[in-house]
Amino acid sequence: MEIDPEEVGSLYRTLAGAVVPRPVAWVSTRSPAGVDNLAPYSFFTVASVAPPVLLFAPVDGPDGLKDTPRNVRETEAFVVNVVTEPQSTAMNATSATLPAGESEFDHADVERAEATVVDAPRVADAPVAFECSLYDLLSVGSSTLVLGEVERVHVDDDVTTDGRLDVTKLDAVGRLAGNQYARTDGRFSMERPP
Amino acid sequence: MEIDPEEVGSLYRTLAGAVVPRPVAWVSTRSPAGVDNLAPYSFFTVASVAPPVLLFAPVDGPDGLKDTPRNVRETEAFVVNVVTEPQSTAMNATSATLPAGESEFDHADVERAEATVVDAPRVADAPVAFECSLYDLLSVGSSTLVLGEVERVHVDDDVTTDGRLDVTKLDAVGRLAGNQYARTDGRFSMERPP
C-alpha cells in the first residue's frame, strides 16, 4: 500500500506507528512562577555527542508552545529523566492535562529532587537523569525542537557495572503507538562489522 | 553517581546507553555518481507531524559529512526504511566501511526497489519505507541533523489491520548500546489520561 501524505488527513498514526520503539524523555521543568512541570515526550533523540546535546520535539498546542518548551524558553533549563517499568504508571499519569498551577509531581505522586547545576527539578528515583541547559529552540512545522546541552548526568549505581552505565541493567521503557509500550529486556546482540 | 561531562573524555557511551530503545532509520540514498548507499542510523525521530518531517543525526566523520548526509545534500532525497528482525543481520552488515563505489545493497545482498517520487533507492522488503525530500540540514556540535519531509509512504499489507498500520504486527528492532538490540514484541499498554 502506498500513502500520499497530501491525500490523508494526518500522517500522525503512521509516523508514530512506524518510528518505533521510541525512547521516552520524561522532562521536568520549572515555570517562572515556581510550578514544577513533568511530562513525557517520545519524539526524542541524541542530537550531538560533543558537545552532548539532547533533542525532543513537542507538538505545538493550539495556543503555541506547550508548558514544557515555554518553561525551557524562560528558564533555559530542563531535566530528561529515563523511565523504567516500575515508574511507567506514574509517567503515564503525568501526561494528564492539569489545571494551571498544579504540578504533575504532586498529581502523579512522583518524588522530586533538585538538579545540581540547572534551575529545574528532577525525578528522584529515575535510574538516569540528564540536566540540560537550553542549546536552541527551532520551529519545524507543527512542532518545536528543544535542544539542550547536557551539563550533568545522574546515574543510579544499580544500573552500572564497573562504574559505567550498563544497558542490560536498565530495562528502559520504549514507546510504540496508541496505548502500546515495549519492554527492552528481549535483547539480542550483533557484532558491528569493521 | 554524578557525571560532569567536562570531566570525562566522551559522553557517547552514556548517551547511547540511556537514550534507549532507539528506532533504527535504515537510510538509502544515491550518490551523484549513481552509487546506491544504505546505512543504519539510530539517532532518529519524528521532527514534525504537519508537514510530516523525519530527522536523523549522523555524527560527522573526520573529513566532514558522511556519505549519507552528503548524498542527501546533493540529491535532496533519501528513504527511511524500517527494520524488523529478519532483516537485522543485513542492516548490521550495511554499517561496514566499504571502498568508494561499492554499494551496501550489493555488499549485504539487500534487494532494492526504486522510490516512487524521490531520486533514491529503497529496500524492497522493508515493511514500511518513507520517501523523503530534503527539508533542512542543521549542524549541531559533532553531528548534522538531516530533516526530510515525507513525500510518500510504502506500507506492507502484512503489517496493517483494516488498511492502517498496526504496531502490534510490526515488531521493529530497537537499538540499545554497544552490540545490543531490543525486540519490541514484549508489549504492554496503558490508557492515556484525559
Side-chain angles (χ1 to χ4, degrees), chain B:
Chain B
M1 159 172 113
E2 269 195 45
I3 302 170
D4 179 346
E6 300 201 344
E7 292 179 0
V8 296
S10 166
L11 214 59
Y12 180 81
R13 188 186 157 120
T14 306
L15 294 168
V19 180
V20 293
R22 296 188 300 280
V24 178
W26 201 13
V27 179
S28 45
T29 55
R30 180 164 290 151
S31 79
V35 179
D36 289 342
N37 188 285
L38 180 61
Y41 294 93
S42 70
F43 295 161
F44 165 49
T45 194
V46 177
S48 163
V49 173
V53 177
L54 295 176
L55 171 164
F56 66 102
V59 176
D60 296 334
D63 306 323
L65 291 185
K66 283 186 179 165
D67 287 350
T68 297
R70 197 171 57 236
N71 289 346
V72 173
R73 189 183 56 190
E74 299 299 322
T75 63
E76 304 195 345
F78 64 95
V79 178
V80 171
N81 304 278
V82 171
V83 180
T84 50
E85 200 168 349
Q87 290 196 295
S88 58
T89 303
M91 176 271 287
N92 188 49
T94 64
S95 63
T97 303
L98 300 183
E102 183 175 351
S103 170
E104 290 83 2
F105 279 96
D106 300 325
H107 174 77
D109 200 19
V110 176
E111 191 182 341
R112 76 194 89 184
E114 200 55 32
T116 305
V117 295
V118 306
D119 180 20
R122 62 182 179 90
V123 174
D125 297 327
V128 183
F130 293 98
E131 297 187 17
C132 298
S133 64
L134 178 60
Y135 184 89
D136 209 349
L137 287 175
L138 300 167
S139 180
V140 175
S142 54
S143 300
T144 298
L145 305 188
V146 181
L147 286 82
E149 180 168 347
V150 178
E151 304 284 357
R152 195 62 56 106
V153 192
H154 301 260
V155 183
D156 190 311
D157 291 338
D158 288 349
V159 295
T160 64
T161 296
D162 298 334
R164 303 179 80 177
L165 180 62
D166 183 342
V167 77
T168 68
K169 293 181 176 174
L170 186 57
D171 289 344
V173 162
R175 187 77 176 93
L176 300 174
N179 295 328
Q180 300 283 322
Y181 291 79
R183 296 183 183 88
T184 50
D185 52 358
R187 284 183 289 270
F188 63 103
S189 76
M190 296 188 291
E191 193 157 333
R192 189 178 167 144

Side-chain angles (χ1 to χ4, degrees), chain A residues 1 3 153 181 183 186 188 191, chain B residues 3 92 153 181 183 186 188:
Chain A
M1 153 173 120
I3 302 170
V153 192
Y181 291 79
R183 295 183 184 88
F188 64 103
E191 193 157 334
Chain B
I3 302 170
N92 188 49
V153 192
Y181 291 79
R183 296 183 183 88
F188 63 103

Side-chain angles (χ1 to χ4, degrees), chain A residues 4-18:
Chain A
D4 179 347
E6 299 200 347
E7 291 179 0
V8 295
S10 166
L11 213 59
Y12 180 82
R13 188 188 158 119
T14 306
L15 294 168

